[in-house]
Amino acid sequence: MLRVERLSKSYPTPQGPIPVLRGVDFTLDAGASLALTGESGSGKSTLIHLVGALDDADSGEVVLDGVALTRLPEKARAAMRRDKIGVVFQQFNLIPSLTVAENLGFQARLAGRYDPPWQQELTERLGLAALGARYPEELSGGQQQRVAIGRALAVRPKLLLADEPTGNLDEATGDNVMSLALDLVAATGCAFLMATHSERLASRLRRRVRLESGFLAQ
Amino acid sequence: MKFPGAMKFPGAMKETLWTFAALASHWRRRPGNFGMLLLGLAMATALWSGVQALNAQARNSYDAATAAISGGGARTLGSSRGGLFDQDLFVKLRRAGFNVSPVLEGSVRIGEENVRIIGVEPLSLPRRSPIAHLRSRADLIEDFFSGPGRGFASPETLRRLNLAEGAQPLTNRGRQLPPLAALAEAPPGAIVVDIGVAQHLLDRHEKLSRLILADDETLDEARLKSIAGDALRLVAANEESELDRLTDSFHLNLTAFGFLAFLVGLFIVHAAYGLAFEQRLPTLRTLRALGVAPMHLVAAMAWEIAVLTLAAGGAGVIGGYALARALLPDVARSLESLYGAQISENLALDARWWFSGLAMAGAGAVLAAASGLLKTLRLPPLSVSRPIAWRAEHHRYLRRQAALAVLALVAAACAYGFGKGLASGFAVIGLALLAAALFLPVGLAGALALGEHVARRPLARWFFADGRQEISGLSLALMALLIALAANIGVGGMVEGFRQTFGRWLDARLVAEVYFEAATPADAQDIEAWARKQSDISAILPVWRAKTRIGAWPVDVFGMTPHETYTAHFPLLDAEPNMWTDLRDQDAVLVSEQLARRLGLGVGAMIDIPTSHEDWRARVVGVFPDYGNPKGQLRIDHEKLKRYFDDASGIHYSLRAAPGATPRVIEDMQQRFDGKIARIIDQSELKALSTEVFERTFAVTTALNTLTLIVSGVALFASLLTLSEMRRARIAPVWALGATRRQLAGLEMIRVLAFAAGAAVFATPLGLFMTWCLVAIVNVAAFGWRLPFHMFPAQWLVVLLIALCAAFFAALVPLVRLARSAPTELLRVFSNER
Ligand SMILES: Nc1ncnc2c1ncn2[C@@H]1O[C@H](COP(=O)(O)OP(=O)(O)OP(=O)(O)O)[C@@H](O)[C@H]1O
Ligand SMILES: [Mg+2]
């Protein structure tokens, strides 16, 4: 499903490029989940961005569902993001001008895959049924993150990416959100890659890897 | 014993300074925003102070013209009826012991230039008179009185006439001037000569235009009356000069447009400062949390504003100077051709002007920053890290805008209902513009809400929903654009309507083929006798002129002979049925529209006209339009003009020539009468001249209007540029969900274009309303004539295109940057704290 090969990435700075990833390899099958840990600044977000077709790698390859992401032009990459990838960020990143229901269905509609029964099911399982007409600013952090997860899964992605999804939430809320996410991942059968600081969260996923000085350590 | 205040002050000072440094560091990170702030303030100041410079220059020149002779502050005696009076009166007054000095003024043409001739008697002039300085040219003073005499002109005037010292040019009446000499104190555009020389040059023998009273002269009015009768009138030292009064509306017009441009500039400043305030809110909160008192924050911001004012205001005032220099020739020409005022083209401005420019910049900066300062004072020390509740804020904002718009509208209605004249006209226009501008965001938000309601596709829905969020950020720039567009439609409509009316009116008014001015009345008789015998000339029509004053207003009286030229063509607004026969056979006059309005006269009213003898009581039998003439005008029968006005010019004529014969007639007359003709001009040339005067009058208005539009374009650009960073945070999530950057940039462009189009659509009825106000209130109050109201749809289309172009180019740079931005920049949105 997802294959990452010798992926490397550095950021240009006035003092010269800083290498962040120096050659990362891993694979992830449909239905599998992988926790990505590492110290702050180790490059977890960078890796998520590369896998999510959000940024360009310096070298190496990301192959998702048989498509090599790094060689795609902008338009095709956008289509990959839209159709095959769901992303959940630490800051939720909901669209403030749209209601909860609209946010939930946004990516699915973009992809032309809006599926009312599935949408309905997600809404209910995420406990958002009563909140559909509200706007993001009228929700708590946990509620917002549930909407973000729903939005990512509404499109039935092949791959769900999450970058510190519970980083802005308290422990209990975070656990709750995490459980919901894992249930839904299991229900859709997508691959799940999550970056996190928390060993406790990481332990709830099937596999875990650690990023250290630009390489993955099992 | 310690004195606490003594130690406290430096500490407080330091705190303010550190706070200032922390706040100012923001600009280092955002030089673009800072540049816009400076540019906006500088442009606003430049437009305002440029216009003020033009006004000040013109007024200084008027003052210089009067003060040059009398030294300013002197009382004078002038003819009660306007025009000239007999030198006899002066001689009688002098014999009776009155200490007065005679002056004769008039104008001649030298080549293509009008020159004012001022005849004085230097020995009796008050010592304060700058002209008395001609004593400083002791080398020439002898010559002034004896031999051919001397003519003194300022070096600038000599340059304009292209003459050197010692030159003796001919006037177009064929009179030779005395050798010219440079005298810096001479008023602009004038040549000062001895009174006898002036009488000869102007062909006004034994005539004077006024008498200057010596400073210590206590005027015994009863004795004056016993010697001079009612012929002379005392003009107080501080009485507004005729020129001041005539040109008042011209200057008010300029001021109004300058102020409009200033306001549009302030929109930029307000937008840029508001944005900087939002961006610095975290810093302000942190400073508050660190224990800086709100007063110190405000003090630091005040420092910042002061620095801004000095930098941008200074640049603006310099820009205003440059602008005034660029526009001065047009303004000077138009004041000369309209009012005969001579404006020095050496722009000289005093310290007061520089300071008032800076003060205006400061006031503008404080006004634009006021809301930020107030918010700072009320800033809570605890940072509340709730996400900004934009929806609630958006609705509050829309409600407030709508309420203010209604308020402005009510004020406009009051200004229209209760106000009077020019100021009320401008107030109505200003308040209506303000109301529309305030309402614009509400209207746009409504349109977007409608769009959101109708849209089905997700990106389209996002497009509309997100647009509503963008409105508050762009609204100031859009309001500025709206005002500029409306002003363009409004003024454009008025000018175009005037141009058409004026053209048609000119065609009807200038029917005769040839117009000429004889050198003297005797020459005129010769020419008249000759012309009657020519087969090519079907009629020779005297159009003699005289002057009078009615109700303190200068009025020109024109004679006309009964002829088809008038009966079939002369344009009239209102008339009695038998007007032309009554005009010939009865005590009847035609009154120009301006004069009729000023005196509140209509057809059938009676009017008392001061003449050379007693007042003449006549009936108004018609009112005619007299566009572009600042003075009132009466048209009476030629025979009556001769009877009632001894000093009628006797030299002005028009000729009806056979078709095609005009050039031959003119050439014939020039050969035959050479020096006896001061000026001869054919119809087409005269029309061209009049049209040129017209075009020049509006050149400055049009220039200011275009500048205002440019400023509003810059405002839009500034806002879009500074907003682009905020926009990135809104766009990034949509991009991450699978939209391309190009797609998003395209949507952003469509949105900006739609906003601009919305502003243009709003601006059209507003502009029409403005045209109506200009035509029906302002023009009537300022000039005394009312134009028919026209609409020009082609103009609206042009304005729409201008709006779209302005929006397109303003949006281009930020959007190209967005379309090309590296993913890293968009990704930062996800990793940065909000
Ligand atoms: N746009 C950028 N320009 C320069 N350097 C960057 C940029 N983005 C990230 N970096 C650097 O790359 C490194 C990896 O950053 P990244 O955000 O991937 O770390 P992370 O593991 O997600 O950290 P955290 O756990 O704090 O979120 C860091 O040292 C960071 O400073
Ligand atoms: Mg990270």
Side-chain angles (χ1 to χ4, degrees), chain B residues 36 94 103 475 534 567 759:
Chain B
M36 279 307 157
R94 267 308 252 288
V103 176
S475 62
Q534 302 306 306
T567 52

Side-chain angles (χ1 to χ4, degrees), chain A residues 11-13 18 20 38-47 90 163-164 197, chain B residues 824 828 831:
Chain A
Y11 287 111
T13 66
I18 317 177
V20 178
E39 283 175 10
S40 180
S42 58
K44 300 184 295 293
S45 296
T46 304
L47 183 55
Q90 183 175 352
D163 191 355
E164 310 270 7
H197 276 122
Chain B
T824 328
R828 245 201 289 269
S831 38

Side-chain angles (χ1 to χ4, degrees), chain B residues 737-755:
Chain B
L737 296 180
T740 60
R741 277 167 293 172
R742 192 174 302 178
Q743 211 173 5
L744 291 167
L747 282 178
E748 294 284 302
M749 178 59 98
I750 291 174
R751 182 152 49 214
V752 173
L753 290 180
F755 282 162

